[in-house]
Amino acid sequence: MVDTYINLKNRKNLKKEVINNYIFGIFFGFSIILIFSFNFFYNKFSFVSLLYILLVFYGIFCVLLATINPKFKILKKLRISTTRVFNILGICCLDIVLLCIYYIVVVPIGLIFKEKKEVTNSSFTTFETSYNKTLPKYRYLKLLSLFSKDYFYMIPLLIILIIISILVFVLTSSIFTPLIYTMF
Amino acid sequence: MYILGISAYYHDSAAALIRNGEIIAAAQEERFTRIKGDKSFPNHAISYCLEEAKLNIEDIDHIVFYENNLSKFQRIIVTHHNNVPKGIISFIVSISKWLTNDLWLDQKIQKELGKKTSKVIMYDHHLSHAGSAFYPSPFSKAAILTIDGVGEWATTTYGIGHNNKINIMKCINFPNSIGLLYSAFTQYLGFRINFDEYKVMGLAPYGKPKYSSLIKKELVTIYDDGSIKLNLKYFNYTRGISTINKNFEKLFGKKKRQPDSKITTKDMDIASSIQDVLNEIVLKLANTVYDETKCDNLVLAGGVALNVVTIGYLKRHSKFKNIFVQPASGDAGGALGCALSYYYDALDNKRIVNKQDSMKGSLLGPSINDHDDLIDEQLTLMGAKYKYYEEKTLIKKIVQELAKGKVIGIARGKMEYGPRALGNRSIIADPRIIDMQSTINLKIKYRESFRPFAPIVLLEDSKKYFDINDESPYMLSTYYIKKELQIPIKKNVKGLDLLKEKKSPIPAVTHVDYSSRVQTVDKYRNPFIYNLLKEFKSKTDCSVLVNTSFNVRGEPIVCNEIDAYNCFMNTEMDCVVIGNRFFEKENNKKV
Ligand SMILES: [Fe+2]
């Protein structure tokens, strides 16, 4: 064995980071240059235009850093803080969507189907393992079949959550996240 | 066949590696990252496990995670439906966390490990606990009881293990949870949930169980079979971030204790009451399990199994003849449990029972070697001055210093898996000295503690000091000091001052109710400590030593030579043994 798992992993992560920095600098930089210079020329000059100019310069700065050396620490910092800002925005949007779902779907269904409290002399139930080989292979089908037995009335909610989760997955898993957000 | 078990992302991450059912290595991530209760992905622990077996991650045949994220997701959604219209905030917080993160947990783990590894298997939380208790136990057939806060749905399960198969018969499901009930009191008494449960337990002997009937009347219904039902009016964990709510505080007529504020008699009484209720619940449960399984052996795991007082109570009052508790009963032990369960139960492999138990003394972590040139170089660079001794002379030297009343850190051999230091990462001292408890606490741990330390005692002499009928190699149960050794306490002493009284010939390890968290030492599991105790006995006629974990307040137990040396330098410890090196404070002064 040449190297330990953790060292190999750290090295791999460093490499990945540099690539991410580069992609961030170039793509994010160019896209905000394009979008905000377009906005600047298209709209009438006002106080907001100053903001556009600033953002364009920020884009140029990112592109420059990435082309000179993607290992710059400041580029990494910019990438992390930018993605953080977008993440917070994203989570806020998600929270608003979830708030609506809660009152439109969860509350009515919950009120109708609430599990009744029975008087018993024991709270033991039969154990069902969650490690089950017979469940379907795919995550979403697995989830649906988990609910299908006792909690079929939650399936509409589940489908909505699954759609959102796919959206979230596409948005957060790609390195183009910042780009997609700027498109919005 | 190699199987890697992982537990992570909740509290106290860990990794464990087994080869054809034999435990090769297991360690908690906190020891490497030096963050107490670290819950991040256990990269360091995995790296250590692989190094120990000289493997690459691609060589592992199966990778098992200790919990099933989808079932947990189901529980969260169902709970929120049952709570409407309350619980909006908790819904948003938890569901957004699930949608952005936990739903893809298996993929996330796979990504951490790399693409070329085998697929991650999501096992079952309580089956993992059950496996961690049963498969390493010395029994071919045993009843199994697991109790914790909550896994996927289950909070308590019982069943039976026979050879390589585990059959869980019944369970109590969320929101009725014995672990969460105890945690609620941990929070109410001003301690941290998941960290400080042991403090509630340590506080209990000072008080009287005045509130037991109130707890049983208002908070929890205990059925005859030991199953419970919580009155959710007083708890908040199904719909909020906190565990208890205002009704809970109203019930006891006072706000929850602020951390670091003075502990009142009432706090002590409340701690005593919840401990009393817990004992009652667990005993009833155990008796049900006995009646259902008709088995003389019981194995336990899950966070509640770390409550040594309850285990001691079970040993004295339950119908079971033999009780084995997994030393790493908390969720860190899930890493080992899921690997073992998958190997035996899911893959149906043959099991060979080890008469002693297969935990190898729980010494499964990274080793501190007697000699290591690289480490020597590093220590010298740090300005350390030490002497090498052969093992025999080293033991003599240690005993000489102990007899002078000195406090000595020992960091030698393999690190313990689980929350207890069992002699390889321990601080030891003479238990006969009356103020040893406060000396160690103030000079080394930098805290004032109301708990005595744990004793280590020679197995063959344990009966001389304690009411003990079995061995206790993992310090998982309390025993009482023998009647004839107990010294009555003066009547006018009250509260925390009780601890400073001389209650037995070994006061530093005797609690105010004369109980003690005994660890028995035998020559198979830990020969070095065994020989050390023998030498101490021959010199002083006392075969007991104080054993407390080698760390300072707020830090995890030391892992390697450097951690141990740093801890030694940053405290007022008198001497430290690292491998076969002996360090004295006089020669190692801070510049
Ligand atoms: Fe657990």
Side-chain angles (χ1 to χ4, degrees):
Chain A
M1 205 167 56
V2 196
D3 212 342
T4 58
Y5 167 81
I6 189 101
N7 289 346
L8 279 173
K9 190 165 171 176
N10 286 341
R11 224 172 306 133
K12 226 186 256 170
N13 282 348
L14 269 182
K15 248 187 226 163
K16 230 188 247 167
E17 207 161 65
V18 174
I19 294 172
N20 278 348
N21 285 348
Y22 185 73
I23 293 175
F24 163 80
I26 299 290
F27 277 89
F28 177 76
F30 268 123
S31 58
I32 61 169
I33 292 171
L34 273 177
I35 291 164
F36 292 108
S37 55
F38 176 77
N39 272 337
F40 178 76
F41 290 115
Y42 191 77
N43 296 325
K44 271 188 187 157
F45 189 84
S46 70
F47 179 69
V48 189
S49 311
L50 285 174
L51 188 76
Y52 292 153
I53 296 175
L54 270 178
L55 282 164
V56 169
F57 273 111
Y58 179 53
I60 295 172
F61 187 56
C62 288
V63 173
L64 272 179
L65 284 177
T67 36
I68 297 167
N69 186 358
K71 281 180 189 164
F72 274 137
K73 267 196 190 136
I74 184 158
L75 189 61
K76 185 185 158 189
K77 274 188 188 150
L78 283 178
R79 175 173 64 89
I80 289 171
S81 48
T82 311
T83 30
R84 193 169 291 159
V85 168
F86 283 118
N87 271 340
I88 291 169
L89 287 177
I91 297 258
C92 285
C93 293
L94 183 63
D95 287 356
I96 292 167
V97 173
L98 286 175
L99 183 92
C100 299
I101 291 175
Y102 187 77
Y103 284 111
I104 297 169
V105 186
V106 180
V107 172
I109 289 187
L111 286 176
I112 298 168
F113 292 98
K114 218 175 212 178
E115 285 174 349
K116 306 231 160 38
K117 282 168 195 155
E118 293 155 32
V119 185
T120 51
N121 54 6
S122 170
S123 63
F124 277 128
T125 50
T126 38
F127 177 74
E128 273 172 64
T129 165
S130 50
Y131 172 72
N132 193 336
K133 280 186 226 162
T134 56
L135 282 180
K137 213 176 134 195
Y138 297 102
R139 183 183 321 268
Y140 296 128
L141 290 178
K142 217 186 255 176
L143 253 186
L144 287 174
S145 66
L146 262 181
F147 277 83
S148 61
K149 214 173 116 201
D150 296 328
Y151 303 106
F152 60 90
Y153 51 89
M154 291 177 198
I155 286 188
L157 168 74
L158 210 60
I159 291 171
I160 298 171
L161 289 182
I162 285 175
I163 293 169
I164 298 174
S165 76
I166 293 172
L167 270 174
V168 169
F169 184 73
V170 172
L171 289 179
T172 52
S173 66
S174 71
I175 32 176
F176 304 110
T177 317
L179 183 87
I180 295 163
Y181 279 121
T182 32
M183 295 283 199
F184 278 113
Chain B
M1 183 193 289
Y2 286 100
I3 299 180
L4 180 71
I6 297 171
S7 74
Y9 300 128
Y10 176 59
H11 170 251
D12 214 359
S13 301
L17 182 70
I18 61 169
R19 185 211 294 131
N20 298 330
E22 186 201 347
I23 307 165
I24 300 294
Q28 289 147 273
E29 183 72 359
E30 59 163 23
R31 308 286 166 84
F32 302 95
T33 58
R34 312 303 302 150
I35 301 166
K36 194 153 186 167
D38 194 356
K39 60 176 180 180
S40 58
F41 191 75
N43 281 314
H44 298 83
I46 292 173
S47 189
Y48 153 69
C49 288
L50 294 171
E51 271 169 66
E52 193 67 22
K54 300 198 170 50
L55 293 176
N56 289 316
I57 187 76
E58 292 82 16
D59 304 329
I60 303 288
D61 298 286
H62 300 281
I63 296 165
V64 193
F65 189 69
Y66 82 125
E67 188 162 80
N68 188 300
N69 54 338
L70 297 186
S71 296
K72 219 171 169 180
F73 186 53
Q74 186 190 28
R75 183 193 87 215
I76 287 169
I77 289 185
V78 173
T79 310
H80 281 111
H81 274 88
N82 287 336
N83 278 336
V84 292
K86 283 177 187 162
I88 168 78
I89 290 170
S90 142
F91 178 80
I92 290 175
V93 171
S94 57
I95 300 291
S96 80
K97 186 170 159 264
W98 274 87
L99 292 180
T100 50
N101 229 324
D102 296 359
L103 196 53
W104 288 279
L105 207 61
D106 46 341
Q107 251 176 44
K108 201 175 155 189
I109 298 164
Q110 196 86 58
K111 213 174 159 187
E112 290 275 1
L113 294 167
K115 282 174 202 146
K116 286 179 209 150
T117 58
S118 70
K119 216 172 160 274
V120 176
I121 297 147
M122 308 301 268
Y123 213 65
D124 183 291
H125 190 107
H126 273 264
L127 280 182
S128 299
H129 278 316
S132 78
F134 176 62
Y135 293 119
S137 77
F139 315 125
S140 64
K141 191 178 176 188
I144 302 168
L145 180 58
T146 66
I147 315 170
D148 72 353
V150 61
E152 288 92 5
W153 272 101
T155 63
T156 298
T157 69
Y158 74 81
I160 190 155
H162 194 187
N163 289 336
N164 66 343
K165 286 286 173 193
I166 284 177
N167 172 25
I168 300 293
M169 292 138 87
K170 290 272 175 66
C171 66
I172 304 174
N173 277 344
F174 188 83
N176 298 315
S177 163
I178 299 166
L180 288 174
L181 173 69
Y182 203 82
S183 293
F185 280 90
T186 310
Q187 190 186 17
Y188 182 68
L189 292 173
F191 303 117
R192 293 166 309 161
I193 288 181
N194 283 336
F195 283 96
D196 292 341
E197 272 75 7
Y198 69 92
K199 288 190 184 164
V200 178
M201 186 178 74
L203 195 57
Y206 290 98
K208 295 210 166 60
K210 285 180 186 165
Y211 301 98
S212 297
S213 49
L214 181 70
I215 293 172
K216 284 188 274 186
K217 195 174 144 231
E218 289 291 329
L219 294 177
V220 55
T221 314
I222 308 171
Y223 299 116
D224 290 337
D225 58 4
S227 63
I228 61 153
K229 198 172 158 196
L230 295 186
N231 187 350
L232 295 179
K233 193 180 134 192
Y234 296 100
F235 300 93
N236 221 14
Y237 57 84
T238 56
R239 49 177 179 264
I241 318 295
S242 149
T243 304
I244 55 172
N245 61 22
K246 284 203 180 97
N247 294 335
F248 193 102
E249 293 182 331
K250 240 184 245 163
L251 183 69
F252 289 101
K254 94 183 197 22
K255 280 217 165 318
K256 73 171 193 187
R257 190 180 79 92
Q258 289 306 312
D260 294 325
S261 70
K262 203 174 166 269
I263 296 171
T264 60
T265 326
K266 187 163 185 176
D267 294 327
M268 295 169 187
D269 290 340
I270 291 173
S272 172
S273 309
I274 183 61
Q275 186 62 48
D276 185 55
V277 172
L278 179 73
N279 290 354
E280 184 186 330
I281 296 174
V282 178
L283 181 64
K284 274 190 175 169
L285 268 174
N287 287 341
T288 306
V289 177
Y290 183 83
D291 293 339
E292 297 260 315
T293 58
K294 292 275 175 288
C295 196
D296 282 337
N297 309 320
L298 174 69
V299 297
L300 288 134
V304 176
L306 287 175
N307 192 306
V308 288
V309 176
T310 301
I311 300 296
Y313 187 76
L314 266 191
K315 284 197 173 177
R316 285 189 297 276
H317 298 285
S318 80
K319 298 173 190 166
F320 288 100
K321 281 193 186 125
N322 309 303
I323 295 182
F324 174 83
V325 183
Q326 161 60 234
S329 268
D331 283 351
L336 178 64
C338 66
L340 287 170
S341 277
Y342 188 75
Y343 179 77
Y344 289 115
D345 207 11
L347 298 178
D348 201 14
N349 282 303
K350 206 173 162 247
R351 171 171 172 241
I352 299 159
V353 181
N354 187 332
K355 273 211 180 108
Q356 210 173 29
D357 76 53
S358 322
M359 282 305 290
K360 298 183 171 173
S362 207
L363 305 174
L364 299 164
S367 183
I368 290 182
N369 296 332
D370 304 345
H371 295 265
D372 190 325
D373 292 340
L374 207 75
I375 298 294
D376 282 339
E377 209 171 289
Q378 236 170 330
L379 284 171
T380 325
L381 267 178
M382 289 169 86
K385 292 195 178 63
Y386 54 89
K387 270 187 195 147
Y388 264 116
Y389 290 100
E390 280 305 307
E391 197 168 307
K392 266 191 186 158
T393 31
L394 181 66
I395 287 174
K396 283 217 168 91
K397 178 86 188 153
I398 296 171
V399 169
Q400 234 172 50
E401 300 295 326
L402 281 175
K404 285 183 206 158
K406 296 209 168 159
V407 182
I408 303 180
I410 305 259
R412 248 183 134 264
K414 292 189 137 223
M415 185 175 71
E416 297 88 349
Y417 179 52
R420 305 264 148 70
L422 300 172
N424 282 12
R425 301 288 185 277
S426 289
I427 295 169
I428 57 170
D430 189 340
R432 298 167 302 163
I433 301 168
I434 180 129
D435 54 358
M436 192 47 97
Q437 195 266 357
S438 52
T439 311
I440 296 182
N441 273 324
L442 295 178
K443 278 184 160 181
I444 293 158
K445 302 251 171 173
Y446 296 117
R447 63 169 183 204
E448 233 184 310
S449 172
F450 44 79
R451 298 188 330 139
F453 292 114
I456 40 176
V457 58
L458 284 176
L459 179 62
E460 57 264 36
D461 289 349
S462 57
K463 284 193 176 67
K464 277 191 211 159
Y465 294 90
F466 307 100
D467 266 327
I468 183 169
N469 293 316
D470 54 350
E471 53 167 15
S472 170
Y474 301 113
M475 208 195 279
L476 290 162
S477 169
T478 52
Y479 298 90
Y480 285 102
I481 299 269
K482 272 200 114 58
K483 261 259 145 55
E484 52 269 33
L485 295 181
Q486 294 182 5
I487 301 169
I489 300 170
K490 286 175 229 141
K491 280 225 169 93
N492 52 2
V493 188
K494 279 205 174 78
L496 297 181
D497 292 331
L498 281 169
L499 195 66
K500 294 183 185 117
E501 288 296 300
K502 186 166 176 164
K503 297 165 294 284
S504 75
I506 39 174
V509 294
T510 312
H511 211 325
V512 296
D513 61 347
Y514 301 104
S515 68
S516 214
R517 291 178 291 146
V518 181
Q519 180 195 352
T520 58
V521 181
D522 56 76
K523 59 178 162 223
Y524 305 104
R525 288 196 181 88
N526 201 334
F528 180 78
I529 295 292
Y530 180 82
N531 291 332
L532 180 66
L533 274 170
K534 275 210 124 160
E535 178 70 26
F536 187 68
K537 185 189 171 188
S538 72
K539 183 142 191 185
T540 63
D541 206 32
C542 169
S543 39
V544 184
L545 280 173
V546 168
N547 173 14
T548 177
S549 54
F550 196 155
N551 63 336
V552 288
R553 184 185 174 168
E555 259 186 39
I557 297 174
V558 296
C559 178
N560 58 26
E561 296 88 341
I562 307 298
D563 301 335
Y565 180 70
N566 283 335
C567 187
F568 167 65
M569 288 306 286
N570 292 328
T571 60
E572 289 166 57
M573 202 182 294
D574 299 312
C575 314
V576 70
V577 176
I578 304 176
N580 277 4
R581 310 171 188 89
F582 192 88
F583 302 67
E584 274 172 293
K585 219 356 127 21
E586 289 116 58
N587 307 333
N588 289 278
K589 286 257 161 69
K590 262 191 182 171
V591 197

